[in-house]
Amino acid sequence: MSQTNGIEILLVEDNPKDVELTLRAFGRANLTNRIHVARDGAEALEFLFCEGPHAARRIEDGPKVILLDLKLPKVDGLEVLQRIKGDPRTRAMPVVVLTSSREQSDVVESYDLGVNSYIVKPVNFEQFLSAVQQLGLYWLLINQPPKVEG
Amino acid sequence: MRCIRAATSEVCETIHDRSAHNASKSKLKQARQELASELDPDPKEAGLESAPGPDHWNSYLGHDARIERAETRSEQGWQDEQARGKHSSTERKVQRGFVFALACLGVIGVVSYLSIVRLREDAAWVQHTDEVIIRLELLFSAMTDAQNGHRGYAVTGDETYLEPYHLAVQTADSDVRRLRELTADNPAQQRRLDLLAPLIGEQLAFGGDVIASRRSQGFEAAQSQMLTGKGKLIHDQLHGLVNEMKGAEEDLLKERELRARQSTTIAQAVIIGGGMLAFGFVGLASFAIRRDFAGRQRAEEDLREAKEQLEVRVRDRTAELAQLNVELEQRVVERTAQLQTANQELEAFSYSVSHDLRSPLRTIDGFSKAVLEEYGSQLPPQAQRDMQSVREGAQQMGALIDDLLTFSRLSRQPLNRRTVDTAQLVHQCLEELRPQTQGRQIELRVAELPPCWGDPSLLKQVWINLLSNALKYSSKREPAIIEVGTVAAPVSGAFVDALSAASTNHQIAYSVRDNGVGFDMRYASKLFGVFERLHRAEDYEGTGVGLATVQRIIHRHGGRIWGEAAVDRGATFYFTVEGEIKP
């Protein structure tokens, strides 16, 4: 079993400060050891589709939830979302957009592409903490994903 | 003569027909107005930089001035006529000319007729006189023949010599009678005839005596009778009297011939003079007609010129307008493209603000919180308060950004109008605002609210903002009183009280009233500006965007919003929604 097998959360976020704050928030919820961070869209796709450094991984051993920022270098969040939902191997993976954008166009387009949830990151840290803890608990503990074959 | 002279001078005067003048003037004016309306640029439509430059307008003005000059010229012509005090029309003058000419011809006719009558009379008189003279001569020669007859018979005893004597005896009386008739109007000749008739009788009697003596007593008796000289005396008297009568008749004839010549001369003078006068009047009348005609022709020419100029101007202007239109359309296309670009840039900017500006704020707030939580115990109280201020600043800025984004989104979001149940909407908003009212004593008075025609989500934003303002600024009142209702507002200007609601010129305005701190009406103009606040931040929190957002929504609906307040005596906000009531 490779190390990636235990990954339960894929966090796609380019802002290191946001990464740190998000990780802290997850830390409070004791979820730190199950998180992989991708710093741009391309890296996220490599991880998900087991390419490059992640070639040893099996696609079927995907994370329980993907937290996706929209504004990303190289490949932006909406394109990543499109790739995930457009591929039968990854379509079932829950994707939560976690972004600063409250633009209606972003919200509408995300849902059109099949996003499972859309969360606007609050500026207030307490609210942010609360949001992260709730979504972690929900997607990791409450939500029941389909059994993956193979 | 005075009358003729006056008429002549009248006809002679320059004739500018008043009606022709007016017609040409009004045509000019009309053409000018048409041009003016054609050329009049609606500043609102012409607008932008594409409006014709000053050169254009100068040329229009120049044209206008030309027409003005033409008008002034004709106006001066008219004034000249006025100065001469002329009011009669050409027709009247021409008519007068012809009437005078006809009068002249009439006079000529009468005079000619009278002259001819006179001539005929004179000719009759001459003939008459001739007849008198001839009759006198015939009478005298008959008497002479009679004398010669009785003398010849006395000498020869031949009866044939007596024929002239017998003829004279037969005709003398009728000849004298005829002369009496011919000279019946002449008393002098009648008197002479009175003398003549007995002389004729005496001569014929004497002749008879001589003839009788010759026949009965023979030659000597007759000779002695004749030698008395009586017969010769009578005949000489007769001769003298006849000559006298002839002379009188010849004098009469001379006199009559002279009179006839005089009347002929007068008739000739009248015919020639009258003919010339008539000719003159006709000439003057035709001169007047020609002048008038020339004047009309000039006016028509002027009009035609002005019309041609106008047509040229209109053609030019039409071409310019067409060109302008093309340019404008081109410009609209360009501007639309520019606007689209600007809009896209604005959206990109908003997106950027929305996304990128919030991240660092979250970082500031998050790490400040981390510092406080993890190292709070090691920090002096002042540092802890400062860190808290940092967090508050970051959070305030986050709220500002959110409000600004909402505000800017309102301009782009399309209006989705439908019937809005205002009463229900207000109820819903009050429900959502309930968390703000917890622990407060609030008296809510919601009157009957008619529905309106608008975008429900945007109008909800309006009610939320106004109601939360009312709740916020009355937070220090016990109890706070919030009243929601309607008033009748005039279509323009400030509201009036509800009593005048019946007036058709009013529309329903919704109102939200509170008994809070109010505001100073001096600053009312600042109420709806972005980031404008009439209260200190430490007294009432807020970003200063709420009322600006409300105003923008109302304006997009075509409505109006205004506020009334007094410091510490509450505030009331009114707004209308264009076409608010669905029938």
Side-chain angles (χ1 to χ4, degrees):
Chain A
M1 241 191 193
S2 85
Q3 198 187 343
T4 56
N5 280 352
I7 293 299
E8 289 186 314
I9 299 168
L10 172 63
L11 175 64
V12 191
E13 171 64 72
D14 63 321
N15 186 333
K17 299 290 195 299
D18 268 5
V19 170
E20 195 177 338
L21 283 175
T22 310
L23 290 179
R24 281 196 187 207
F26 278 116
R28 296 277 180 93
N30 296 320
L31 296 164
T32 43
N33 54 339
R34 327 279 297 261
I35 297 175
H36 179 81
V37 178
R39 301 299 302 277
D40 59 50
E43 208 179 306
L45 291 173
E46 273 182 352
F47 177 82
L48 285 169
F49 292 97
C50 307
E51 291 158 359
H54 306 285
R57 235 188 103 247
R58 287 186 350 157
I59 291 179
E60 293 76 21
D61 299 330
K64 282 188 172 175
V65 66
I66 302 165
L67 302 179
L68 182 65
D69 194 6
L70 289 183
K71 207 176 171 225
L72 295 169
K74 297 182 185 173
V75 180
D76 81 7
L78 288 172
E79 197 178 332
V80 173
L81 178 62
Q82 193 176 11
R83 290 281 301 277
I84 294 169
K85 295 298 179 185
D87 194 308
R89 296 170 296 175
T90 53
R91 189 185 292 152
M93 293 177 190
V95 181
V96 175
V97 167
L98 188 64
T99 179
S100 299
S101 169
R102 21 171 103 242
E103 280 296 302
Q104 276 302 300
S105 58
D106 279 345
V107 179
V108 170
E109 202 170 341
S110 297
Y111 278 106
D112 280 350
L113 291 173
V115 79
N116 300 79
S117 184
Y118 192 105
I119 291 166
V120 179
K121 285 187 260 188
V123 168
N124 186 306
F125 185 69
E126 274 95 352
Q127 291 170 15
F128 181 62
L129 191 62
S130 163
V132 167
Q133 283 174 344
Q134 283 184 42
L135 78 88
L137 283 171
Y138 177 80
W139 290 107
L140 297 178
L141 299 177
I142 300 169
N143 190 47
Q144 178 63 56
K147 290 286 179 197
V148 183
E149 286 178 16
Chain B
M1 276 313 276
R2 267 174 61 191
C3 167
I4 292 172
R5 208 176 298 133
T8 311
S9 66
E10 196 167 308
V11 175
C12 277
E13 263 142 16
T14 312
I15 296 146
H16 280 282
D17 187 81
R18 164 101 199 179
S19 63
H21 170 88
N22 277 349
S24 61
K25 197 179 153 191
S26 71
K27 275 186 191 169
L28 269 175
K29 196 164 276 176
Q30 188 192 343
R32 187 168 155 236
Q33 281 168 353
E34 279 171 15
L35 181 74
S37 68
E38 184 87 28
L39 299 184
D40 184 27
D42 188 339
K44 282 171 230 144
E45 280 179 29
L48 310 175
E49 304 105 279
S50 48
D55 287 349
H56 280 74
W57 299 120
N58 282 345
S59 76
Y60 302 151
L61 285 175
H63 181 75
D64 214 29
R66 275 201 299 281
I67 294 172
E68 194 75 62
R69 273 202 302 279
E71 213 172 293
T72 313
R73 215 160 49 219
S74 65
E75 186 64 44
Q76 275 169 355
W78 173 240
Q79 280 166 355
D80 290 345
E81 290 161 33
Q82 289 268 329
R84 285 194 296 275
K86 278 305 108 207
H87 297 283
S88 56
S89 66
T90 302
E91 281 80 359
R92 273 181 63 197
K93 284 173 181 168
V94 169
Q95 213 172 20
R96 268 185 211 186
F98 280 117
V99 164
F100 278 102
L102 277 175
C104 286
L105 290 174
V107 168
I108 290 165
V110 170
V111 169
S112 301
Y113 175 75
L114 290 176
S115 301
I116 288 164
V117 169
R118 187 72 164 274
L119 273 173
R120 269 165 60 186
E121 277 176 10
D122 287 346
W125 273 114
V126 169
Q127 203 184 349
H128 174 83
T129 311
D130 283 347
E131 195 184 343
V132 171
I133 290 169
I134 288 165
R135 292 227 172 243
L136 279 171
E137 280 173 352
L138 282 174
L139 180 64
F140 182 69
S141 77
M143 293 312 293
T144 306
D145 289 349
Q147 190 182 44
N148 290 338
H150 81 247
R151 280 181 183 171
Y153 175 72
V155 173
T156 63
D158 185 348
E159 287 282 337
T160 54
Y161 281 102
L162 289 177
E163 274 174 29
Y165 175 79
H166 292 306
L167 192 68
V169 170
Q170 282 167 19
T171 59
D173 273 356
S174 67
D175 283 349
V176 170
R177 224 174 16 253
R178 177 72 186 139
L179 277 169
R180 270 197 194 281
E181 283 167 18
L182 287 172
T183 59
D185 60 331
N186 194 333
Q189 295 290 61
Q190 292 281 325
R191 274 195 306 275
R192 287 190 190 101
L193 277 172
D194 289 343
L195 294 175
L196 192 68
L199 277 176
I200 288 168
E202 276 179 39
Q203 190 195 311
L204 289 174
F206 175 75
D209 288 348
V210 171
I211 291 163
S213 296
R214 175 69 173 89
R215 216 171 258 160
S216 59
Q217 294 165 23
F219 176 73
E220 280 82 12
Q223 190 186 28
S224 65
Q225 236 177 349
M226 280 195 288
L227 284 173
T228 58
K230 188 183 173 189
K232 191 179 180 301
L233 183 74
I234 293 169
H235 190 73
D236 287 348
Q237 279 180 349
L238 199 69
H239 190 200
L241 205 58
V242 165
N243 279 345
E244 200 178 315
M245 283 186 75
K246 271 170 68 184
E249 283 301 320
E250 273 162 5
D251 285 349
L252 215 59
L253 182 66
K254 271 183 204 153
E255 196 187 314
R256 280 175 182 156
E257 275 175 350
L258 186 69
R259 269 220 321 264
R261 262 203 306 281
Q262 277 175 350
S263 65
T264 307
T265 311
I266 288 169
Q268 276 176 348
V270 167
I271 288 166
I272 292 168
M276 282 167 70
L277 261 181
F279 184 79
F281 280 127
V282 170
L284 286 173
S286 60
F287 176 72
I289 290 171
R290 218 178 51 226
R291 264 203 93 140
D292 178 58
F293 186 68
R296 277 170 200 246
Q297 260 184 336
R298 258 206 313 281
E300 274 172 21
E301 240 163 70
D302 285 355
L303 262 180
R304 208 167 31 242
E305 265 174 42
K307 194 179 159 227
E308 277 164 13
Q309 282 178 359
L310 277 177
E311 277 172 0
V312 167
R313 291 303 313 158
V314 166
R315 264 201 304 280
D316 289 355
R317 186 72 186 120
T318 308
E320 279 168 23
L321 280 174
Q323 176 65 26
L324 212 61
N325 203 28
V326 169
E327 282 170 16
L328 272 176
E329 276 170 11
Q330 178 62 30
R331 207 173 290 268
V332 166
V333 169
E334 283 169 16
R335 286 285 155 88
T336 308
Q338 284 174 2
L339 277 173
Q340 276 169 349
T341 309
N343 213 26
Q344 281 162 3
E345 279 169 5
L346 188 68
E347 275 173 25
F349 175 75
S350 300
Y351 186 86
S352 182
V353 167
S354 165
H355 191 274
D356 296 347
L357 227 54
R358 285 158 55 92
S359 287
L361 287 175
R362 195 165 44 250
T363 307
I364 293 166
D365 188 61
F367 285 102
S368 304
K369 172 75 177 167
V371 167
L372 281 172
E373 283 190 350
E374 289 166 26
Y375 308 103
S377 56
Q378 299 165 35
L379 289 173
Q382 182 61 43
Q384 287 183 25
R385 280 199 298 278
D386 290 352
M387 286 306 291
Q388 196 54 44
S389 297
V390 169
R391 289 198 66 200
E392 278 166 15
Q395 284 166 18
Q396 171 75 6
M397 191 165 171
L400 273 173
I401 288 169
D402 286 351
D403 282 357
L404 262 184
L405 285 173
T406 305
F407 181 70
S408 81
R409 202 162 42 235
L410 291 175
S411 307
R412 292 177 282 143
Q413 194 171 320
L415 272 192
N416 191 6
R417 277 185 190 258
R418 62 193 66 179
T419 304
V420 179
D421 185 342
T422 307
Q424 197 194 334
L425 185 65
V426 168
H427 186 72
Q428 190 186 340
C429 291
L430 288 171
E431 275 303 311
E432 285 185 22
L433 291 169
R434 193 174 286 277
Q436 278 191 37
T437 66
Q438 269 167 4
R440 287 179 53 187
Q441 193 185 342
I442 294 171
E443 198 176 312
L444 271 175
R445 298 173 188 165
V446 182
E448 202 172 310
L449 296 171
C452 69
W453 182 247
D455 186 311
S457 64
L458 292 178
L459 288 179
K460 183 180 176 187
Q461 184 86 50
V462 169
W463 283 107
I464 288 277
N465 285 11
L466 290 178
L467 289 169
S468 69
N469 271 359
L471 288 168
K472 180 163 72 183
Y473 292 109
S474 63
S475 58
K476 290 168 185 168
R477 292 283 186 274
E478 286 291 335
I481 301 170
I482 313 287
E483 293 169 275
V484 182
T486 56
V487 295
V491 170
S492 60
F495 85 111
V496 296
D497 60 74
L499 289 174
S500 311
S503 168
T504 50
N505 247 357
H506 292 72
Q507 58 183 155
I508 298 296
Y510 297 108
S511 64
V512 178
R513 183 190 304 271
D514 65 62
N515 63 339
V517 289
F519 55 85
D520 193 328
M521 280 302 278
R522 278 181 297 174
Y523 308 121
S525 60
K526 293 186 169 185
L527 273 177
F528 302 102
V530 181
F531 293 133
E532 290 285 2
R533 304 200 66 222
L534 300 186
H535 300 280
R536 285 187 303 228
E538 58 261 44
D539 292 337
Y540 297 99
E541 59 181 19
T543 56
V545 185
L547 282 178
T549 302
V550 167
Q551 190 189 43
R552 179 162 288 195
I553 292 171
I554 295 302
H555 282 179
R556 286 201 66 198
H557 277 81
R560 294 180 296 123
I561 179 160
W562 66 100
E564 287 188 339
V567 175
D568 278 333
R569 292 172 63 186
T572 311
F573 283 90
Y574 305 91
F575 69 92
T576 64
V577 182
E578 187 63 28
E580 73 250 41
I581 308 300
K582 270 284 276 187

